Amino acid sequence: DEAAGHLALSEEQMAHFVDLRPYANEAALVTLENASLRRVHRLFRAMGLRHLLVIEAAPQVVGIITRKDVLYSGQGGPGPGGAGP
């Protein structure tokens, strides 16, 4: 048994791809990287989100906020990323 991070794949296998479009939400909600925590919290509560993409103005994804991140921020302690307020 090899760990998932150490799989040995051939060049032929690397040329394959998996079409995830049937499973992806193309209308995902996003927020700008300078959005306030209050706005992010409102989005999570109003929409029942589990994840929220963070984009810059380009638009390019620069991060993701999870429900757990928002919960930790409300407690004033460090979130799962390890950085405190």
Side-chain angles (χ1 to χ4, degrees), residues 21-68:
R21 287 179 289 183
Y23 310 104
N25 181 358
E26 293 183 19
L29 288 175
V30 298
T31 190
L32 291 173
E33 61 187 336
N34 61 350
S36 70
L37 179 58
R38 176 174 284 164
R39 181 183 191 293
V40 169
H41 184 260
R42 262 189 268 143
L43 277 170
F44 270 87
R45 296 224 16 189
M47 304 301 291
L49 301 177
R50 293 174 60 192
H51 303 90
L52 181 65
L53 296 175
V54 181
I55 62 169
E56 58 185 15
Q60 180 176 351
V61 175
V62 294
I64 187 166
I65 301 172
T66 67
R67 183 183 300 166
K68 190 180 275 190

Side-chain angles (χ1 to χ4, degrees), residues 1-14:
D1 260 316
E2 293 183 356
H6 301 289
L7 291 176
L9 299 174
S10 69
E11 290 294 322
E12 181 181 346
Q13 290 170 320
M14 292 295 289

